């Protein structure tokens, strides 16, 4: 409304995306539906750890023998918060259980959000009601780690007091695993393939030394290279596991990922398709192929048709072939034997005149017969750009000669202004002058003739010529000297006193 107040209903937004429905409060505006792209990046998908310590004193003299256990475990699955428990046990024991909702992770919880259990000295179980907080009621820090170790210290603690001796052995078992996934993002429903560079480190906690990069495996994709990088090709909306795996029992790690989006841009927009990321191209059309952000090193480029230049660089220019082709693939070959193909291109040829528009007329002197018009002509299909294409009208002898023009042979009425190349603009356009000026004859008789005009095209620089649909040009004159020219479906008619009519 005028005060800028809005209300919104937001669906959960996860790796599959979501939507936000927005309404203006008291504003009367229609509901606005905003689709939200899925997030992208590395995230913790599962986390679990367990610490078990138990202590025994196998011989302490005639009066004292004891054993006790500390137990602490935490788990978190698929980003839906965490659960944990803590227990101390000496034959009776206590047990705390607590839950962290996903919305509060990893903040400390308020009092009353955990539930302690315990046992009295006589073994009676109890559950505390009402507000309660224990020192264990904190979500873990979610260390990125892997641990699978057991330790025994037979000389954990020895001593003597008041005639009693103790010899405590400490047993320690710890396991921990963090699973990392990569949300690849992308528009809802998209399965576009993109290049990702995954980087990681790992540190052996027993030695404190970094683990060599090339000994670290990433999910099921293989090992990093010696620079700590691994390039993989992944579809949008697909969260694969990217947990670093190292040859050690106890290590911490970091992992990150950089997305390199495939980007292709045509040199020009087309008349009826302004999208410069289109995959349908005209013959000879050129496209810049690159990654966003730019790749930090050069790669090999190949194509199944047409050409690429340069063939070894971080980006390249693809030139479509000089003939129609479907599913033309351009591939970038990366380090480590990986490669990624850009979306396939379909290449189409000129197929004739799409439409024409009269943009000018010629006025002859009063008393003289004649008519002329300038047309802008667009070559089909207009959904691509033929800016590297030349077209030519092929001159032929006249046909359908009648009346006044029967006094000349078809060869004498030959289309002599044809047979030269004209370059198309980026929107597939050229200008053409169609004129009819029979000269200074004043005793007119009705008559006319026609030119059949085949057309040819070529991609500049190739020397190859190809046929495409042409047009007809028709001349007519009546006994009053009124002349008419028809071409491309357009016509102009002019009387000898300069009254001009067009369609």
């Amino acid at each position: 409304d005028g005060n800028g107040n809005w209300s919104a209903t937001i669906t959960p937004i996860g790796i599959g995306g979501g939507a936000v429905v927005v309404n203006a409060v008291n504003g009367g505006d229609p509901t606005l539906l905003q689709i939200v792209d899925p997030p992208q990046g590395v995230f913790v998908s599962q986390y679990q750890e367990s610490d078990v310590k138990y202590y025994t004193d196998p011989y302490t003299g005639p009066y004292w023998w004891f054993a006790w256990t500390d137990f602490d475990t935490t788990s978190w699955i698929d980003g839906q918060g965490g659960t944990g428990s803590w227990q101390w046990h000496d034959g009776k024991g206590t047990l705390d259980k607590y839950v962290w909702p996903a919305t509060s992770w990893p903040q400390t919880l308020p009092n009353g959000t955990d539930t302690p259990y315990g046992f009295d000295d006589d073994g009676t179980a109890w559950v505390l009601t009402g507000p309660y907080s224990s020192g264990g009621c904190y979500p873990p820090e979610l260390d990125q780690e892997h641990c699978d170790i057991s330790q025994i210290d037979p000389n954990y603690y020895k001593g003597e007091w008041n005639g009693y001796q103790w010899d405590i052995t400490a047993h320690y078992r710890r396991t921990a695993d963090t699973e990392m996934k990569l949300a690849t993002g992308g528009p809802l429903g998209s399965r576009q393939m993109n290049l990702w560079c995954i980087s990681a480190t790992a540190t052996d906690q027993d030695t404190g030394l970094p683990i060599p990069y090339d000994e670290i495996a990433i999910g099921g994709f293989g090992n990093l290279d010696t620079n700590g990088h691994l390039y993989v090709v992944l579809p949008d909306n697909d969260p694969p596991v990217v947990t670093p795996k190292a040859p050690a029992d106890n290590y911490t790690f970091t992992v990150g990922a950089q997305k390199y989006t495939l980007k292709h841009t045509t040199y020009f927009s087309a008349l009826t398709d302004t999208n410069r990321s289109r995959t349908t191209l005209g013959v000879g059309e050129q496209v810049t192929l690159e990654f966003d952000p730019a790749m930090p090193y050069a790669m090999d480029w190949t194509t199944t048709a047409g050409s690429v230049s340069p063939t070894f660089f971080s980006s390249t220019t693809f030139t479509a072939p000089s003939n129609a082709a479907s599913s033309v693939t351009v591939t970038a070959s990366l380090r480590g034997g990986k490669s990624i193909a850009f979306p396939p291109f379909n290449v189409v040829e000129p197929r004739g005149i799409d439409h024409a528009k009269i943009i000018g007329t010629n006025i002859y002197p009063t008393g003289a017969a004649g008519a002329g018009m300038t047309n802008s002509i667009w070559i089909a299909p207009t959904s691509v750009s033929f800016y590297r294409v030349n077209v030519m009208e092929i001159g032929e002898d006249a046909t359908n000669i009648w009346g006044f023009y029967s006094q000349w042979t078809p060869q004498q009425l030959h289309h002599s202004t044809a047979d030269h190349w004209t370059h198309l603009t980026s929107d597939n356009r050229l200008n053409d002058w169609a004129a009819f000026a029979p000269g200074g004859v004043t005793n007119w008789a009705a008559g006319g003739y026609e030119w059949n005009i085949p057309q040819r095209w070529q991609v500049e620089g190739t020397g190859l010529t190809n046929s495409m649909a042409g047009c007809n040009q028709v001349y007519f004159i009546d006994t009053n000297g009124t002349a008419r020219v028809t071409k491309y479906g357009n016509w102009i008619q002019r009387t000898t006193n300069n009254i001009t009519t067009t369609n």
Side-chain angles (χ1 to χ4, degrees):
D1 61 15
N3 296 318
N5 297 320
W6 299 80
S7 67
T9 301
I10 304 175
T11 62
I13 299 170
I15 58 173
V20 180
V21 180
V22 182
N23 293 283
V25 177
N26 300 324
D29 290 345
T31 297
L32 304 177
L33 175 62
Q34 177 64 52
I35 303 297
V36 180
D37 285 348
Q40 66 181 40
V42 175
F43 66 98
V44 177
S45 56
Q46 296 192 55
Y47 180 87
Q48 56 185 358
E49 67 174 349
S50 176
D51 293 277
V52 179
K53 302 174 186 177
Y54 67 93
Y55 309 88
T56 59
D57 180 6
Y59 178 74
T60 62
Y63 303 107
W64 194 11
W65 183 91
F66 65 84
W68 77 91
T69 304
D70 294 334
F71 177 79
D72 188 10
T73 182
T74 302
S75 64
W76 181 41
I77 299 175
D78 296 333
Q80 297 303 310
T83 61
S85 63
W86 178 88
Q87 173 181 286
W88 179 81
H89 178 67
D90 64 350
K92 301 181 180 66
T94 60
L95 175 65
D96 286 351
K97 290 185 177 179
Y98 34 87
V99 176
W100 301 281
T103 53
S104 65
W105 194 281
Q107 295 97 1
T108 302
L109 298 183
N111 289 347
T113 54
D114 61 346
T115 306
Y117 300 82
F119 300 91
D120 291 331
D121 290 340
D122 61 3
T124 303
W126 53 266
V127 178
L128 181 68
T129 59
Y132 174 84
S133 179
S134 73
C137 185
Y138 297 95
E141 296 179 358
L142 293 183
D143 294 329
Q144 295 181 27
E145 62 179 333
H146 169 82
C147 185
D148 186 2
I149 56 175
S150 295
Q151 295 176 334
I152 298 177
D153 185 357
N155 299 309
Y156 175 69
Y157 195 60
K158 292 184 179 182
E160 181 179 345
W161 175 79
N162 198 25
Y164 295 102
Q165 297 177 349
W166 59 89
D167 187 355
I168 301 174
T169 298
H171 302 261
Y172 180 66
R173 170 70 173 163
R174 182 169 188 268
T175 61
D177 268 306
T178 309
E179 181 188 75
M180 309 297 292
K181 286 187 175 181
L182 171 60
T184 54
L188 287 172
S190 169
R191 300 296 291 172
Q192 176 178 320
M193 304 300 290
N194 290 291
L195 175 65
W196 286 85
C197 177
I198 300 175
S199 57
T201 63
T203 302
D204 190 326
Q205 292 300 293
D206 293 334
T207 65
L209 299 175
I211 297 172
Y213 290 131
D214 56 358
E215 294 182 13
I216 302 172
I218 301 297
F221 296 114
N223 287 31
L224 301 173
D225 62 22
T226 54
N227 296 313
H229 298 141
L230 174 66
Y231 289 91
V232 295
V233 179
L234 300 171
D236 286 342
N237 299 301
D238 180 25
V241 174
V242 292
T243 308
K245 297 294 183 183
D249 293 326
N250 185 15
Y251 59 89
T252 57
F253 59 83
T254 64
V255 60
Q258 171 67 60
K259 183 178 183 178
Y260 291 90
T261 304
L262 303 179
K263 184 178 179 182
H264 61 276
T265 309
T266 60
Y267 279 23
F268 296 101
S269 298
L271 179 65
T272 56
D273 188 351
T274 58
N275 175 23
R276 293 180 61 191
S277 296
R278 54 188 162 83
T279 56
T280 299
L281 307 174
V283 288
E285 201 170 352
Q286 294 179 317
V287 184
T288 298
L289 304 180
E290 57 191 338
F291 293 90
D292 185 17
M295 285 292 289
Y297 66 85
M299 63 200 76
D300 288 311
W301 296 88
T302 56
T303 179
T304 57
S307 63
V308 287
S309 180
T311 57
F312 185 71
F313 198 63
S314 58
S315 61
T316 193
T317 294
F318 166 62
T319 300
S322 299
N323 55 279
S326 60
S327 299
V328 178
T329 301
V330 180
T331 300
S333 297
L334 313 165
R335 292 175 178 173
K338 301 291 192 304
S339 63
I340 185 169
F342 280 72
F345 296 101
N346 292 318
V347 182
V348 298
E349 300 176 352
R351 60 170 182 253
I353 297 164
D354 183 83
H355 66 286
K357 178 181 180 181
I358 298 175
I359 61 171
T361 60
N362 189 60
I363 303 299
Y364 293 91
T366 301
M373 60 180 175
T374 300
N375 280 276
S376 278
I377 306 104
W378 285 266
I379 301 300
T382 58
S383 56
V384 299
S385 179
F386 291 127
Y387 66 96
R388 297 187 64 231
V389 170
N390 299 321
V391 297
M392 175 190 288
E393 291 186 342
I394 304 301
E396 292 190 352
D397 295 337
T399 62
N400 298 326
I401 303 171
W402 65 281
F404 177 77
Y405 289 95
S406 299
Q407 56 189 300
W408 290 284
T409 67
Q411 293 74 28
Q412 290 174 314
L413 298 174
H414 180 81
H415 185 186
S416 59
T417 58
D419 303 318
H420 62 271
W421 291 108
T422 301
H423 194 74
L424 296 181
T425 60
S426 62
D427 60 353
N428 302 356
R429 177 173 45 86
L430 62 90
N431 291 337
D432 176 75
W433 168 243
F436 179 43
V441 180
T442 57
N443 296 322
W444 300 105
Y449 61 94
E450 184 174 345
W451 283 339
N452 179 48
I453 307 176
Q455 299 208 32
R456 299 187 69 81
W457 63 268
Q458 66 172 199
V459 176
E460 64 180 5
T462 64
L464 303 175
T465 61
N466 306 270
S467 298
M468 71 176 181
C471 65
N472 284 1
Q473 185 168 325
V474 180
Y475 295 119
F476 164 81
I477 196 168
D478 66 13
T479 56
N480 296 317
T482 299
R484 180 170 176 149
V485 183
T486 302
K487 192 175 185 180
Y488 313 119
N490 297 331
W491 55 260
I492 181 171
Q493 181 172 293
R494 175 185 167 276
T495 66
T496 55
N497 57 351
N498 282 329
I499 297 175
T500 301
T501 307
T502 66
N503 69 336

